[in-house]
PDB file of all heavy atoms in Angstrom:
ATOM      1  N   GLY A   1      10.010  -0.750   6.633  1.00  0.00           N
ATOM      2  CA  GLY A   1      10.136  -0.184   7.975  1.00  0.00           C
ATOM      3  C   GLY A   1       8.849   0.408   8.458  1.00  0.00           C
ATOM      4  O   GLY A   1       8.425   0.283   9.599  1.00  0.00           O
ATOM      5  N   LEU A   2       8.190   1.106   7.521  1.00  0.00           N
ATOM      6  CA  LEU A   2       6.831   1.775   7.902  1.00  0.00           C
ATOM      7  C   LEU A   2       5.832   0.662   8.137  1.00  0.00           C
ATOM      8  O   LEU A   2       4.911   0.934   8.973  1.00  0.00           O
ATOM      9  CB  LEU A   2       6.403   2.637   6.717  1.00  0.00           C
ATOM     10  CG  LEU A   2       7.284   3.941   6.497  1.00  0.00           C
ATOM     11  CD1 LEU A   2       6.657   4.745   5.382  1.00  0.00           C
ATOM     12  CD2 LEU A   2       7.316   4.780   7.842  1.00  0.00           C
ATOM     13  N   GLN A   3       5.878  -0.413   7.378  1.00  0.00           N
ATOM     14  CA  GLN A   3       4.929  -1.504   7.605  1.00  0.00           C
ATOM     15  C   GLN A   3       5.099  -2.104   8.959  1.00  0.00           C
ATOM     16  O   GLN A   3       4.108  -2.391   9.688  1.00  0.00           O
ATOM     17  CB  GLN A   3       5.072  -2.587   6.578  1.00  0.00           C
ATOM     18  CG  GLN A   3       4.016  -3.722   6.703  1.00  0.00           C
ATOM     19  CD  GLN A   3       4.228  -4.844   5.669  1.00  0.00           C
ATOM     20  OE1 GLN A   3       5.143  -4.743   4.834  1.00  0.00           O
ATOM     21  NE2 GLN A   3       3.405  -5.780   5.612  1.00  0.00           N
ATOM     22  N   ASP A   4       6.330  -2.286   9.430  1.00  0.00           N
ATOM     23  CA  ASP A   4       6.569  -2.875  10.739  1.00  0.00           C
ATOM     24  C   ASP A   4       6.198  -1.887  11.810  1.00  0.00           C
ATOM     25  O   ASP A   4       5.753  -2.316  12.950  1.00  0.00           O
ATOM     26  CB  ASP A   4       8.118  -3.210  10.915  1.00  0.00           C
ATOM     27  CG  ASP A   4       8.475  -4.352   9.939  1.00  0.00           C
ATOM     28  OD1 ASP A   4       7.570  -5.157   9.576  1.00  0.00           O
ATOM     29  OD2 ASP A   4       9.685  -4.461   9.529  1.00  0.00           O
ATOM     30  N   ALA A   5       6.312  -0.588  11.548  1.00  0.00           N
ATOM     31  CA  ALA A   5       6.076   0.408  12.548  1.00  0.00           C
ATOM     32  C   ALA A   5       4.673   0.863  12.655  1.00  0.00           C
ATOM     33  O   ALA A   5       4.233   1.552  13.685  1.00  0.00           O
ATOM     34  CB  ALA A   5       6.974   1.655  12.367  1.00  0.00           C
ATOM     35  N   ALA A   6       3.895   0.540  11.638  1.00  0.00           N
ATOM     36  CA  ALA A   6       2.406   0.959  11.571  1.00  0.00           C
ATOM     37  C   ALA A   6       1.641   0.342  12.784  1.00  0.00           C
ATOM     38  O   ALA A   6       1.727  -0.847  13.060  1.00  0.00           O
ATOM     39  CB  ALA A   6       1.839   0.586  10.305  1.00  0.00           C
ATOM     40  N   ILE A   7       0.919   1.205  13.453  1.00  0.00           N
ATOM     41  CA  ILE A   7       0.057   0.825  14.572  1.00  0.00           C
ATOM     42  C   ILE A   7      -1.273   0.293  13.991  1.00  0.00           C
ATOM     43  O   ILE A   7      -1.857  -0.654  14.540  1.00  0.00           O
ATOM     44  CB  ILE A   7      -0.111   1.959  15.596  1.00  0.00           C
ATOM     45  CG1 ILE A   7       1.291   2.278  16.168  1.00  0.00           C
ATOM     46  CG2 ILE A   7      -1.024   1.483  16.703  1.00  0.00           C
ATOM     47  CD1 ILE A   7       1.231   3.513  17.084  1.00  0.00           C
ATOM     48  N   ASN A   8      -1.831   1.032  13.039  1.00  0.00           N
ATOM     49  CA  ASN A   8      -3.163   0.685  12.431  1.00  0.00           C
ATOM     50  C   ASN A   8      -3.028  -0.559  11.550  1.00  0.00           C
ATOM     51  O   ASN A   8      -2.278  -0.614  10.622  1.00  0.00           O
ATOM     52  CB  ASN A   8      -3.640   1.832  11.611  1.00  0.00           C
ATOM     53  CG  ASN A   8      -5.049   1.636  11.125  1.00  0.00           C
ATOM     54  OD1 ASN A   8      -5.513   0.530  11.046  1.00  0.00           O
ATOM     55  ND2 ASN A   8      -5.761   2.770  10.895  1.00  0.00           N
ATOM     56  N   PRO A   9      -3.744  -1.647  11.921  1.00  0.00           N
ATOM     57  CA  PRO A   9      -3.592  -2.898  11.156  1.00  0.00           C
ATOM     58  C   PRO A   9      -3.941  -2.735   9.726  1.00  0.00           C
ATOM     59  O   PRO A   9      -3.378  -3.322   8.821  1.00  0.00           O
ATOM     60  CB  PRO A   9      -4.537  -3.868  11.874  1.00  0.00           C
ATOM     61  CG  PRO A   9      -4.799  -3.317  13.212  1.00  0.00           C
ATOM     62  CD  PRO A   9      -4.651  -1.839  13.087  1.00  0.00           C
ATOM     63  N   GLU A  10      -4.947  -1.895   9.395  1.00  0.00           N
ATOM     64  CA  GLU A  10      -5.351  -1.665   8.051  1.00  0.00           C
ATOM     65  C   GLU A  10      -4.250  -0.911   7.252  1.00  0.00           C
ATOM     66  O   GLU A  10      -4.046  -1.276   6.072  1.00  0.00           O
ATOM     67  CB  GLU A  10      -6.686  -0.881   7.992  1.00  0.00           C
ATOM     68  CG  GLU A  10      -7.235  -0.636   6.571  1.00  0.00           C
ATOM     69  CD  GLU A  10      -7.716  -1.910   5.913  1.00  0.00           C
ATOM     70  OE1 GLU A  10      -7.626  -2.928   6.498  1.00  0.00           O
ATOM     71  OE2 GLU A  10      -8.023  -1.748   4.679  1.00  0.00           O
ATOM     72  N   MET A  11      -3.656   0.002   7.908  1.00  0.00           N
ATOM     73  CA  MET A  11      -2.558   0.780   7.244  1.00  0.00           C
ATOM     74  C   MET A  11      -1.337  -0.220   6.983  1.00  0.00           C
ATOM     75  O   MET A  11      -0.723  -0.100   5.971  1.00  0.00           O
ATOM     76  CB  MET A  11      -2.114   1.976   8.087  1.00  0.00           C
ATOM     77  CG  MET A  11      -1.142   2.900   7.416  1.00  0.00           C
ATOM     78  SD  MET A  11      -1.970   3.701   6.020  1.00  0.00           S
ATOM     79  CE  MET A  11      -0.559   4.640   5.230  1.00  0.00           C
ATOM     80  N   LYS A  12      -1.067  -1.101   7.967  1.00  0.00           N
ATOM     81  CA  LYS A  12      -0.007  -2.095   7.807  1.00  0.00           C
ATOM     82  C   LYS A  12      -0.315  -2.967   6.645  1.00  0.00           C
ATOM     83  O   LYS A  12       0.574  -3.268   5.806  1.00  0.00           O
ATOM     84  CB  LYS A  12       0.075  -2.911   9.058  1.00  0.00           C
ATOM     85  CG  LYS A  12       1.269  -3.931   9.060  1.00  0.00           C
ATOM     86  CD  LYS A  12       1.118  -4.795  10.296  1.00  0.00           C
ATOM     87  CE  LYS A  12       1.362  -4.010  11.630  1.00  0.00           C
ATOM     88  NZ  LYS A  12       2.810  -3.714  11.819  1.00  0.00           N
ATOM     89  N   ARG A  13      -1.585  -3.409   6.452  1.00  0.00           N
ATOM     90  CA  ARG A  13      -1.899  -4.234   5.384  1.00  0.00           C
ATOM     91  C   ARG A  13      -1.807  -3.520   4.058  1.00  0.00           C
ATOM     92  O   ARG A  13      -1.239  -4.101   3.034  1.00  0.00           O
ATOM     93  CB  ARG A  13      -3.424  -4.715   5.491  1.00  0.00           C
ATOM     94  CG  ARG A  13      -3.902  -5.701   4.347  1.00  0.00           C
ATOM     95  CD  ARG A  13      -5.384  -5.901   4.510  1.00  0.00           C
ATOM     96  NE  ARG A  13      -6.179  -4.741   4.168  1.00  0.00           N
ATOM     97  CZ  ARG A  13      -6.502  -4.333   2.993  1.00  0.00           C
ATOM     98  NH1 ARG A  13      -6.038  -5.043   1.964  1.00  0.00           N
ATOM     99  NH2 ARG A  13      -7.150  -3.263   2.786  1.00  0.00           N
ATOM    100  N   ILE A  14      -2.170  -2.277   3.913  1.00  0.00           N
ATOM    101  CA  ILE A  14      -2.148  -1.564   2.685  1.00  0.00           C
ATOM    102  C   ILE A  14      -0.622  -1.324   2.287  1.00  0.00           C
ATOM    103  O   ILE A  14      -0.298  -1.493   1.068  1.00  0.00           O
ATOM    104  CB  ILE A  14      -2.924  -0.176   2.822  1.00  0.00           C
ATOM    105  CG1 ILE A  14      -4.394  -0.537   2.856  1.00  0.00           C
ATOM    106  CG2 ILE A  14      -2.559   0.661   1.667  1.00  0.00           C
ATOM    107  CD1 ILE A  14      -5.205   0.711   3.151  1.00  0.00           C
ATOM    108  N   ILE A  15       0.191  -0.958   3.199  1.00  0.00           N
ATOM    109  CA  ILE A  15       1.605  -0.751   2.962  1.00  0.00           C
ATOM    110  C   ILE A  15       2.185  -2.060   2.426  1.00  0.00           C
ATOM    111  O   ILE A  15       3.019  -2.087   1.499  1.00  0.00           O
ATOM    112  CB  ILE A  15       2.364  -0.172   4.219  1.00  0.00           C
ATOM    113  CG1 ILE A  15       1.846   1.146   4.575  1.00  0.00           C
ATOM    114  CG2 ILE A  15       3.854  -0.221   3.899  1.00  0.00           C
ATOM    115  CD1 ILE A  15       2.474   1.678   5.806  1.00  0.00           C
ATOM    116  N   GLY A  16       1.823  -3.148   2.999  1.00  0.00           N
ATOM    117  CA  GLY A  16       2.326  -4.448   2.592  1.00  0.00           C
ATOM    118  C   GLY A  16       1.909  -4.778   1.096  1.00  0.00           C
ATOM    119  O   GLY A  16       2.664  -5.278   0.310  1.00  0.00           O
ATOM    120  N   GLU A  17       0.638  -4.460   0.697  1.00  0.00           N
ATOM    121  CA  GLU A  17       0.147  -4.613  -0.614  1.00  0.00           C
ATOM    122  C   GLU A  17       0.901  -3.709  -1.582  1.00  0.00           C
ATOM    123  O   GLU A  17       1.177  -4.153  -2.738  1.00  0.00           O
ATOM    124  CB  GLU A  17      -1.394  -4.443  -0.704  1.00  0.00           C
ATOM    125  CG  GLU A  17      -2.125  -5.546   0.050  1.00  0.00           C
ATOM    126  CD  GLU A  17      -3.671  -5.367  -0.091  1.00  0.00           C
ATOM    127  OE1 GLU A  17      -3.978  -4.451  -0.831  1.00  0.00           O
ATOM    128  OE2 GLU A  17      -4.373  -6.185   0.470  1.00  0.00           O
ATOM    129  N   VAL A  18       1.159  -2.483  -1.182  1.00  0.00           N
ATOM    130  CA  VAL A  18       1.988  -1.614  -2.042  1.00  0.00           C
ATOM    131  C   VAL A  18       3.334  -2.146  -2.248  1.00  0.00           C
ATOM    132  O   VAL A  18       3.861  -2.126  -3.361  1.00  0.00           O
ATOM    133  CB  VAL A  18       2.099  -0.130  -1.376  1.00  0.00           C
ATOM    134  CG1 VAL A  18       3.053   0.700  -2.144  1.00  0.00           C
ATOM    135  CG2 VAL A  18       0.670   0.467  -1.322  1.00  0.00           C
ATOM    136  N   ARG A  19       3.987  -2.747  -1.205  1.00  0.00           N
ATOM    137  CA  ARG A  19       5.282  -3.400  -1.356  1.00  0.00           C
ATOM    138  C   ARG A  19       5.262  -4.483  -2.336  1.00  0.00           C
ATOM    139  O   ARG A  19       6.099  -4.593  -3.271  1.00  0.00           O
ATOM    140  CB  ARG A  19       5.792  -3.891  -0.015  1.00  0.00           C
ATOM    141  CG  ARG A  19       6.361  -2.735   0.913  1.00  0.00           C
ATOM    142  CD  ARG A  19       6.960  -3.446   2.126  1.00  0.00           C
ATOM    143  NE  ARG A  19       7.925  -4.351   1.772  1.00  0.00           N
ATOM    144  CZ  ARG A  19       8.317  -5.407   2.505  1.00  0.00           C
ATOM    145  NH1 ARG A  19       7.665  -5.772   3.601  1.00  0.00           N
ATOM    146  NH2 ARG A  19       9.370  -6.194   2.101  1.00  0.00           N
ATOM    147  N   GLU A  20       4.198  -5.307  -2.227  1.00  0.00           N
ATOM    148  CA  GLU A  20       4.067  -6.489  -3.202  1.00  0.00           C
ATOM    149  C   GLU A  20       3.903  -6.028  -4.583  1.00  0.00           C
ATOM    150  O   GLU A  20       4.503  -6.684  -5.568  1.00  0.00           O
ATOM    151  CB  GLU A  20       2.882  -7.341  -2.755  1.00  0.00           C
ATOM    152  CG  GLU A  20       3.087  -8.085  -1.379  1.00  0.00           C
ATOM    153  CD  GLU A  20       1.795  -8.839  -0.933  1.00  0.00           C
ATOM    154  OE1 GLU A  20       0.802  -8.755  -1.723  1.00  0.00           O
ATOM    155  OE2 GLU A  20       1.834  -9.451   0.147  1.00  0.00           O
ATOM    156  N   SER A  21       3.152  -4.915  -4.849  1.00  0.00           N
ATOM    157  CA  SER A  21       2.991  -4.377  -6.160  1.00  0.00           C
ATOM    158  C   SER A  21       4.283  -3.895  -6.701  1.00  0.00           C
ATOM    159  O   SER A  21       4.641  -3.999  -7.876  1.00  0.00           O
ATOM    160  CB  SER A  21       1.897  -3.309  -6.149  1.00  0.00           C
ATOM    161  OG  SER A  21       0.648  -3.726  -5.710  1.00  0.00           O
ATOM    162  N   LEU A  22       5.051  -3.272  -5.865  1.00  0.00           N
ATOM    163  CA  LEU A  22       6.341  -2.747  -6.311  1.00  0.00           C
ATOM    164  C   LEU A  22       7.279  -3.865  -6.641  1.00  0.00           C
ATOM    165  O   LEU A  22       8.011  -3.861  -7.712  1.00  0.00           O
ATOM    166  CB  LEU A  22       7.002  -1.805  -5.200  1.00  0.00           C
ATOM    167  CG  LEU A  22       6.357  -0.485  -5.041  1.00  0.00           C
ATOM    168  CD1 LEU A  22       7.109   0.220  -3.858  1.00  0.00           C
ATOM    169  CD2 LEU A  22       6.470   0.315  -6.237  1.00  0.00           C
ATOM    170  N   GLU A  23       7.249  -4.974  -5.890  1.00  0.00           N
ATOM    171  CA  GLU A  23       8.059  -6.146  -6.187  1.00  0.00           C
ATOM    172  C   GLU A  23       7.648  -6.759  -7.465  1.00  0.00           C
ATOM    173  O   GLU A  23       8.450  -7.445  -8.128  1.00  0.00           O
ATOM    174  CB  GLU A  23       7.952  -7.087  -4.995  1.00  0.00           C
ATOM    175  CG  GLU A  23       8.692  -6.648  -3.781  1.00  0.00           C
ATOM    176  CD  GLU A  23       8.435  -7.607  -2.591  1.00  0.00           C
ATOM    177  OE1 GLU A  23       7.534  -8.489  -2.754  1.00  0.00           O
ATOM    178  OE2 GLU A  23       9.099  -7.374  -1.529  1.00  0.00           O
ATOM    179  N   GLY A  24       6.395  -6.625  -7.815  1.00  0.00           N
ATOM    180  CA  GLY A  24       5.834  -7.166  -9.095  1.00  0.00           C
ATOM    181  C   GLY A  24       6.083  -6.236 -10.288  1.00  0.00           C
ATOM    182  O   GLY A  24       5.641  -6.662 -11.411  1.00  0.00           O
ATOM    183  N   GLY A  25       6.781  -5.183 -10.122  1.00  0.00           N
ATOM    184  CA  GLY A  25       7.219  -4.353 -11.300  1.00  0.00           C
ATOM    185  C   GLY A  25       6.331  -3.085 -11.459  1.00  0.00           C
ATOM    186  O   GLY A  25       6.554  -2.403 -12.406  1.00  0.00           O
ATOM    187  N   ARG A  26       5.366  -2.869 -10.564  1.00  0.00           N
ATOM    188  CA  ARG A  26       4.585  -1.651 -10.748  1.00  0.00           C
ATOM    189  C   ARG A  26       5.216  -0.420 -10.174  1.00  0.00           C
ATOM    190  O   ARG A  26       6.139  -0.514  -9.362  1.00  0.00           O
ATOM    191  CB  ARG A  26       3.162  -1.847  -9.984  1.00  0.00           C
ATOM    192  CG  ARG A  26       2.230  -2.893 -10.600  1.00  0.00           C
ATOM    193  CD  ARG A  26       1.043  -2.928  -9.795  1.00  0.00           C
ATOM    194  NE  ARG A  26       0.053  -3.862 -10.277  1.00  0.00           N
ATOM    195  CZ  ARG A  26      -0.935  -3.580 -11.170  1.00  0.00           C
ATOM    196  NH1 ARG A  26      -1.078  -2.386 -11.546  1.00  0.00           N
ATOM    197  NH2 ARG A  26      -1.814  -4.607 -11.564  1.00  0.00           N
ATOM    198  N   GLU A  27       4.883   0.743 -10.682  1.00  0.00           N
ATOM    199  CA  GLU A  27       5.391   1.986 -10.179  1.00  0.00           C
ATOM    200  C   GLU A  27       4.597   2.275  -8.778  1.00  0.00           C
ATOM    201  O   GLU A  27       3.496   1.723  -8.543  1.00  0.00           O
ATOM    202  CB  GLU A  27       5.162   3.161 -11.085  1.00  0.00           C
ATOM    203  CG  GLU A  27       5.990   2.967 -12.332  1.00  0.00           C
ATOM    204  CD  GLU A  27       5.827   4.142 -13.284  1.00  0.00           C
ATOM    205  OE1 GLU A  27       4.863   4.974 -13.087  1.00  0.00           O
ATOM    206  OE2 GLU A  27       6.564   4.264 -14.286  1.00  0.00           O
ATOM    207  N   LEU A  28       5.165   3.147  -8.013  1.00  0.00           N
ATOM    208  CA  LEU A  28       4.547   3.447  -6.660  1.00  0.00           C
ATOM    209  C   LEU A  28       3.159   4.041  -6.823  1.00  0.00           C
ATOM    210  O   LEU A  28       2.200   3.684  -6.114  1.00  0.00           O
ATOM    211  CB  LEU A  28       5.410   4.411  -5.943  1.00  0.00           C
ATOM    212  CG  LEU A  28       4.930   4.832  -4.572  1.00  0.00           C
ATOM    213  CD1 LEU A  28       4.806   3.601  -3.701  1.00  0.00           C
ATOM    214  CD2 LEU A  28       5.815   5.951  -3.916  1.00  0.00           C
ATOM    215  N   SER A  29       2.926   4.950  -7.836  1.00  0.00           N
ATOM    216  CA  SER A  29       1.654   5.554  -8.045  1.00  0.00           C
ATOM    217  C   SER A  29       0.679   4.521  -8.453  1.00  0.00           C
ATOM    218  O   SER A  29      -0.594   4.570  -8.032  1.00  0.00           O
ATOM    219  CB  SER A  29       1.743   6.688  -9.074  1.00  0.00           C
ATOM    220  OG  SER A  29       2.266   6.138 -10.312  1.00  0.00           O
ATOM    221  N   GLN A  30       1.048   3.582  -9.290  1.00  0.00           N
ATOM    222  CA  GLN A  30       0.113   2.484  -9.721  1.00  0.00           C
ATOM    223  C   GLN A  30      -0.237   1.557  -8.617  1.00  0.00           C
ATOM    224  O   GLN A  30      -1.373   1.143  -8.424  1.00  0.00           O
ATOM    225  CB  GLN A  30       0.778   1.744 -10.834  1.00  0.00           C
ATOM    226  CG  GLN A  30       0.951   2.505 -12.196  1.00  0.00           C
ATOM    227  CD  GLN A  30       1.653   1.709 -13.234  1.00  0.00           C
ATOM    228  OE1 GLN A  30       2.416   0.751 -12.941  1.00  0.00           O
ATOM    229  NE2 GLN A  30       1.440   2.088 -14.456  1.00  0.00           N
ATOM    230  N   ALA A  31       0.745   1.320  -7.742  1.00  0.00           N
ATOM    231  CA  ALA A  31       0.500   0.455  -6.549  1.00  0.00           C
ATOM    232  C   ALA A  31      -0.474   1.161  -5.564  1.00  0.00           C
ATOM    233  O   ALA A  31      -1.408   0.538  -5.028  1.00  0.00           O
ATOM    234  CB  ALA A  31       1.760   0.155  -5.844  1.00  0.00           C
ATOM    235  N   MET A  32      -0.309   2.450  -5.363  1.00  0.00           N
ATOM    236  CA  MET A  32      -1.179   3.180  -4.512  1.00  0.00           C
ATOM    237  C   MET A  32      -2.605   3.363  -5.080  1.00  0.00           C
ATOM    238  O   MET A  32      -3.597   3.454  -4.321  1.00  0.00           O
ATOM    239  CB  MET A  32      -0.631   4.596  -4.276  1.00  0.00           C
ATOM    240  CG  MET A  32       0.655   4.589  -3.358  1.00  0.00           C
ATOM    241  SD  MET A  32       1.271   6.257  -2.973  1.00  0.00           S
ATOM    242  CE  MET A  32       2.420   5.904  -1.742  1.00  0.00           C
ATOM    243  N   ALA A  33      -2.704   3.395  -6.458  1.00  0.00           N
ATOM    244  CA  ALA A  33      -3.966   3.592  -7.173  1.00  0.00           C
ATOM    245  C   ALA A  33      -4.916   2.428  -6.815  1.00  0.00           C
ATOM    246  O   ALA A  33      -6.158   2.537  -7.072  1.00  0.00           O
ATOM    247  CB  ALA A  33      -3.735   3.767  -8.626  1.00  0.00           C
ATOM    248  N   ARG A  34      -4.361   1.301  -6.472  1.00  0.00           N
ATOM    249  CA  ARG A  34      -5.239   0.120  -6.109  1.00  0.00           C
ATOM    250  C   ARG A  34      -6.015   0.332  -4.834  1.00  0.00           C
ATOM    251  O   ARG A  34      -6.762  -0.532  -4.435  1.00  0.00           O
ATOM    252  CB  ARG A  34      -4.351  -1.105  -6.102  1.00  0.00           C
ATOM    253  CG  ARG A  34      -3.645  -1.460  -7.353  1.00  0.00           C
ATOM    254  CD  ARG A  34      -2.717  -2.637  -7.223  1.00  0.00           C
ATOM    255  NE  ARG A  34      -3.427  -3.846  -6.869  1.00  0.00           N
ATOM    256  CZ  ARG A  34      -2.905  -5.003  -6.522  1.00  0.00           C
ATOM    257  NH1 ARG A  34      -1.613  -5.109  -6.472  1.00  0.00           N
ATOM    258  NH2 ARG A  34      -3.644  -6.064  -6.240  1.00  0.00           N
ATOM    259  N   HIS A  35      -5.715   1.405  -4.068  1.00  0.00           N
ATOM    260  CA  HIS A  35      -6.414   1.713  -2.845  1.00  0.00           C
ATOM    261  C   HIS A  35      -6.958   3.073  -2.849  1.00  0.00           C
ATOM    262  O   HIS A  35      -6.508   4.028  -2.226  1.00  0.00           O
ATOM    263  CB  HIS A  35      -5.392   1.548  -1.698  1.00  0.00           C
ATOM    264  CG  HIS A  35      -4.676   0.247  -1.601  1.00  0.00           C
ATOM    265  ND1 HIS A  35      -5.255  -0.904  -1.108  1.00  0.00           N
ATOM    266  CD2 HIS A  35      -3.484  -0.147  -2.053  1.00  0.00           C
ATOM    267  CE1 HIS A  35      -4.405  -1.936  -1.251  1.00  0.00           C
ATOM    268  NE2 HIS A  35      -3.350  -1.473  -1.753  1.00  0.00           N
ATOM    269  N   PRO A  36      -8.016   3.287  -3.670  1.00  0.00           N
ATOM    270  CA  PRO A  36      -8.546   4.699  -3.850  1.00  0.00           C
ATOM    271  C   PRO A  36      -9.180   5.348  -2.644  1.00  0.00           C
ATOM    272  O   PRO A  36      -9.337   6.463  -2.546  1.00  0.00           O
ATOM    273  CB  PRO A  36      -9.595   4.494  -5.001  1.00  0.00           C
ATOM    274  CG  PRO A  36      -9.970   3.050  -4.874  1.00  0.00           C
ATOM    275  CD  PRO A  36      -8.775   2.316  -4.489  1.00  0.00           C
ATOM    276  N   ARG A  37      -9.594   4.495  -1.722  1.00  0.00           N
ATOM    277  CA  ARG A  37     -10.291   4.995  -0.490  1.00  0.00           C
ATOM    278  C   ARG A  37      -9.187   5.530   0.454  1.00  0.00           C
ATOM    279  O   ARG A  37      -9.572   6.224   1.437  1.00  0.00           O
ATOM    280  CB  ARG A  37     -11.024   3.905   0.242  1.00  0.00           C
ATOM    281  CG  ARG A  37     -12.225   3.422  -0.600  1.00  0.00           C
ATOM    282  CD  ARG A  37     -13.151   2.554   0.251  1.00  0.00           C
ATOM    283  NE  ARG A  37     -14.226   2.090  -0.636  1.00  0.00           N
ATOM    284  CZ  ARG A  37     -15.340   2.731  -0.755  1.00  0.00           C
ATOM    285  NH1 ARG A  37     -15.492   3.917  -0.257  1.00  0.00           N
ATOM    286  NH2 ARG A  37     -16.383   2.369  -1.514  1.00  0.00           N
ATOM    287  N   VAL A  38      -7.939   5.244   0.283  1.00  0.00           N
ATOM    288  CA  VAL A  38      -6.834   5.741   1.081  1.00  0.00           C
ATOM    289  C   VAL A  38      -6.060   6.834   0.420  1.00  0.00           C
ATOM    290  O   VAL A  38      -5.840   7.932   0.940  1.00  0.00           O
ATOM    291  CB  VAL A  38      -5.911   4.591   1.568  1.00  0.00           C
ATOM    292  CG1 VAL A  38      -4.776   5.094   2.385  1.00  0.00           C
ATOM    293  CG2 VAL A  38      -6.624   3.499   2.299  1.00  0.00           C
ATOM    294  N   PHE A  39      -5.722   6.634  -0.835  1.00  0.00           N
ATOM    295  CA  PHE A  39      -4.871   7.577  -1.599  1.00  0.00           C
ATOM    296  C   PHE A  39      -5.801   8.267  -2.619  1.00  0.00           C
ATOM    297  O   PHE A  39      -6.264   7.689  -3.542  1.00  0.00           O
ATOM    298  CB  PHE A  39      -3.680   6.837  -2.261  1.00  0.00           C
ATOM    299  CG  PHE A  39      -2.802   6.095  -1.345  1.00  0.00           C
ATOM    300  CD1 PHE A  39      -2.893   4.765  -1.291  1.00  0.00           C
ATOM    301  CD2 PHE A  39      -1.979   6.827  -0.507  1.00  0.00           C
ATOM    302  CE1 PHE A  39      -2.046   4.016  -0.391  1.00  0.00           C
ATOM    303  CE2 PHE A  39      -1.106   6.171   0.380  1.00  0.00           C
ATOM    304  CZ  PHE A  39      -1.182   4.785   0.476  1.00  0.00           C
ATOM    305  N   SER A  40      -6.065   9.467  -2.445  1.00  0.00           N
ATOM    306  CA  SER A  40      -6.960  10.317  -3.308  1.00  0.00           C
ATOM    307  C   SER A  40      -6.285  10.497  -4.645  1.00  0.00           C
ATOM    308  O   SER A  40      -5.150  10.413  -4.774  1.00  0.00           O
ATOM    309  CB  SER A  40      -7.284  11.663  -2.631  1.00  0.00           C
ATOM    310  OG  SER A  40      -6.143  12.437  -2.526  1.00  0.00           O
ATOM    311  N   PRO A  41      -7.156  10.896  -5.683  1.00  0.00           N
ATOM    312  CA  PRO A  41      -6.550  11.274  -6.924  1.00  0.00           C
ATOM    313  C   PRO A  41      -5.482  12.378  -6.845  1.00  0.00           C
ATOM    314  O   PRO A  41      -4.496  12.324  -7.647  1.00  0.00           O
ATOM    315  CB  PRO A  41      -7.741  11.641  -7.757  1.00  0.00           C
ATOM    316  CG  PRO A  41      -8.918  10.889  -7.208  1.00  0.00           C
ATOM    317  CD  PRO A  41      -8.551  10.811  -5.756  1.00  0.00           C
TER     318      PRO A  41
END
């Protein structure tokens, strides 16, 4: 839902990649860790 509602194309892309990582069996924190410029330590 957040991916569809996102106005920023880059944010939409990152949420989509986080979803794909979750579908691949990763945890949410691990999926977000692949985007260090967006999600800080």
Side-chain angles (χ1 to χ4, degrees):
L2 293 180
Q3 182 181 4
D4 294 336
I7 300 176
N8 188 332
E10 182 66 6
M11 191 67 186
K12 184 189 293 286
R13 182 188 67 82
I14 289 174
I15 295 175
E17 292 183 2
V18 170
R19 283 185 59 206
E20 292 176 0
S21 297
L22 289 177
E23 291 173 350
R26 292 178 180 268
E27 294 182 350
L28 180 61
S29 58
Q30 294 176 335
M32 289 179 169
R34 299 176 63 187
H35 306 280
R37 296 189 180 278
V38 178
F39 303 105
S40 66

